[in-house]
Amino acid sequence: MARPDLAELVTPLKPVAVSHAAPFLVVVPRALLSLEEALPKLTLAGKTKPGVIDRNYKGGEDVASFVTIPRLLSDGASDTDPYLVFDVQRGEEFCDVVPLQAMATIEERGRTPLSIEEGIALVTHFPELLAKNKCFELAGSRNGDKRVPALWISQGAPKLGWCWQGNPHSWLGMASAGSRAGLPVPVPVSAG
């Protein structure tokens, strides 16, 4: 079966974006664009070297085990359809903060961490936001162990890697979002 045209899939989101009247990201879930396809499309601002998946993921199955956390799905994220993310912050204030503590602070603020797909969307739309010592963790995707996915720079290119949830890094913040919105759910028409 052929993959649907992504432009066709995101066009219905236009009225949702306009109604929010705020900066947004268009996120394409991996059901429509795999991480293995998306990462090589990422580049740093003004550069051409393609993004990569860190070898420490031990193959495609390990990367695939990191899925969107339920809280994001209840906030409007989708595993199957494109959606929008609003009020994104790169989270550099969380550099040198233990990821578990950063996640708790984000939660207290009524925000949610970005997922892997959302981080890819952020760098796709705004490659200048992935900068030296201004990289970020993506705790909105987890696999049940103690690893937290992150996007950083390695050998002049974006890299999807991971760090331990209990270890701070001076160059990794925690990216977060204020809200998400998907396609409006159609209201069934009753016969009668």
Side-chain angles (χ1 to χ4, degrees):
M1 184 171 134
R3 179 171 61 199
D5 179 58
L6 293 177
E8 267 180 49
L9 292 173
V10 301
T11 299
L13 290 169
K14 185 175 181 179
V16 178
V18 170
S19 71
H20 278 73
F24 63 90
L25 298 176
V26 175
V27 179
V28 178
R30 65 181 89 168
L32 299 173
L33 183 66
S34 73
L35 297 178
E36 292 79 10
E37 292 176 276
L39 258 294
K41 296 179 187 311
L42 290 185
T43 59
L44 299 175
K47 306 288 183 182
T48 58
K49 198 168 181 182
V52 297
I53 297 173
D54 189 278
R55 63 180 169 74
N56 289 317
Y57 271 111
K58 302 176 189 155
E61 293 164 10
D62 193 29
V63 172
S65 73
F66 286 84
V67 296
T68 303
I69 61 173
R71 171 88 195 282
L72 272 60
L73 295 172
S74 66
D75 187 40
S78 173
D79 284 337
T80 57
D81 297 308
Y83 62 95
L84 303 174
V85 177
F86 299 94
D87 188 22
V88 173
Q89 295 177 356
R90 182 172 52 185
E92 58 261 28
E93 71 181 277
F94 297 112
C95 288
D96 225 6
V97 174
V98 173
L100 284 174
Q101 292 172 344
M103 287 184 272
T105 301
I106 287 168
E107 177 80 22
E108 288 169 8
R109 294 176 180 170
R111 300 178 61 80
T112 52
L114 293 190
S115 69
I116 291 174
E117 289 91 341
E118 293 167 354
I120 289 171
L122 180 61
V123 176
T124 298
H125 292 294
F126 305 101
E128 67 278 5
L129 292 182
L130 188 63
K132 184 178 179 180
N133 297 322
K134 304 269 193 222
C135 302
F136 43 86
E137 295 161 319
L138 304 166
S141 296
R142 300 301 298 270
N143 76 345
D145 67 13
K146 295 182 179 186
R147 295 179 290 170
V148 179
L151 277 172
W152 64 73
I153 299 169
S154 178
Q155 299 180 347
K159 180 180 268 192
L160 175 65
W162 56 264
C163 60
W164 298 112
Q165 67 185 10
N167 293 357
H169 295 281
S170 61
W171 47 276
L172 278 176
M174 177 76 66
S176 67
S179 65
R180 293 165 182 78
L183 292 170
V185 178
V187 177
V189 178
S190 61

